[in-house]
Each structure stands twice: as C-alpha cells, then as structure tokens.
Amino acid sequence: MKIYLFICLFIPITILSQNAEKIKKADTIYVFFKRDKNQFFEKNNRIELGNLNYNYIFRINETSQSFMTFVHHYRLTPEERRERKSFLKKNKDIIITYDFLTKYNLGEATELIGHKKKVYLIDKEDISWFSIKLLEVKVIGTWKQSIE
C-alpha cells in the first residue's frame, strides 16, 4: 500500500487550460454555452423552417453590460452535426468557455472569435451520454445595452 502512495506522489500533474495562441491560429473554434444569468438563450418560433433561428447571448462584463451574440439560423448556418463525447477532451484547447471569454474586453473577444472560418456552439443542454451536438453559428455582432 505504501508503494502505491509513493508512486502516486511522483506522477507529474499537468493542468491543461485553453491557450490563446492555439485559438488565434485555429480556423475552426468551438464555444461552450451553459445557460445561467450571464448566458442567455432566445429562439424565434415561426412556422416557416427558413425563419427559425436561435440566439445565444453572452454577457462579457457585468459592469459595462457588454454582450456578444451567436446566431444559429437555418439559412445562414445550416450545419448541425453529432460527435462522440470524447470530442470534448480531444479539442479542449480550442473550446472557448465563458470564463475564458470574460478575461478579454468586448473588442478583444470579437477579434478572437469573429474572424474564424467556422464557429460551432456546444450547448450543455445538447450533451447526451455518448454524443454532443455541434451547431454552426455566426457572430452577428457585439453590442452594449443602452441605458434607459
């Protein structure tokens, strides 16, 4: 028993985190979305399939009320695909989380995400036991909420 404890103490522990340089170099990135007070979800429920769209809104900074919006629309971004759940571990360096996004101001976040060839959104609600659903999204803009 003591031998196992001794071996476990000398195994190097590495903490893997998102690397801004890898994200800047990648032409496809993934954004992880978890619904809470800073991450909103809206949908347009019109009868026509061509008008159905989903808006995923991130609040970048609570003090300045800055928001970044991602849109999944069947005419603009029709691609939806399923991947195995192991996809999250393989691509964790290019998956942007809310905590990573809030390290930057609105302009830097737009520069980091807005000019990519493909941006996919991973909604936590769409993660099942064995697979995840990826939605292609477009960054339709960043905006600051007006004070009225």
Side-chain angles (χ1 to χ4, degrees), residues 1 8-9 15-17 28 30 41 50 54 61 70 81 86 94 97 99 107 126 128-129 133 140:
M1 186 74 163
C8 291
L9 290 175
I15 299 173
L16 298 175
S17 63
T28 302
Y30 305 92
F41 173 74
Y54 300 97
N61 189 345
F70 298 92
R81 66 180 204 204
S86 62
I94 56 174
T97 61
D99 294 331
D126 293 333
S128 65
W129 283 76
K133 184 165 88 172
I140 61 164

Side-chain angles (χ1 to χ4, degrees), residues 28-41:
T28 302
I29 60 168
Y30 305 92
V31 179
F32 187 77
F33 183 81
K34 179 182 174 187
R35 299 172 193 186
D36 64 5
K37 68 178 184 171
N38 293 320
Q39 300 175 47
F40 311 9
F41 173 74

Side-chain angles (χ1 to χ4, degrees), residues 84-144:
R84 292 185 179 187
K85 203 167 181 181
S86 62
F87 177 86
L88 294 173
K89 287 183 183 178
K90 289 178 188 174
N91 295 302
K92 66 182 163 186
D93 291 338
I94 56 174
I95 296 176
I96 296 176
T97 61
Y98 177 75
D99 294 331
F100 180 77
L101 198 59
T102 56
K103 292 178 184 177
Y104 300 97
N105 64 26
L106 191 59
E108 292 171 335
T110 303
E111 184 67 30
L112 188 66
I113 295 173
H115 304 293
K116 301 297 180 187
K117 288 183 182 177
K118 294 256 185 178
V119 178
Y120 289 96
L121 190 123
I122 303 167
D123 191 350
K124 187 175 184 212
E125 303 282 322
D126 293 333
I127 297 176
S128 65
W129 283 76
F130 301 108
S131 68
I132 60 171
K133 184 165 88 172
L134 302 174
L135 301 172
E136 184 183 0
V137 294
K138 294 286 184 198
V139 180
I140 61 164
T142 54
W143 51 279
K144 294 186 178 188

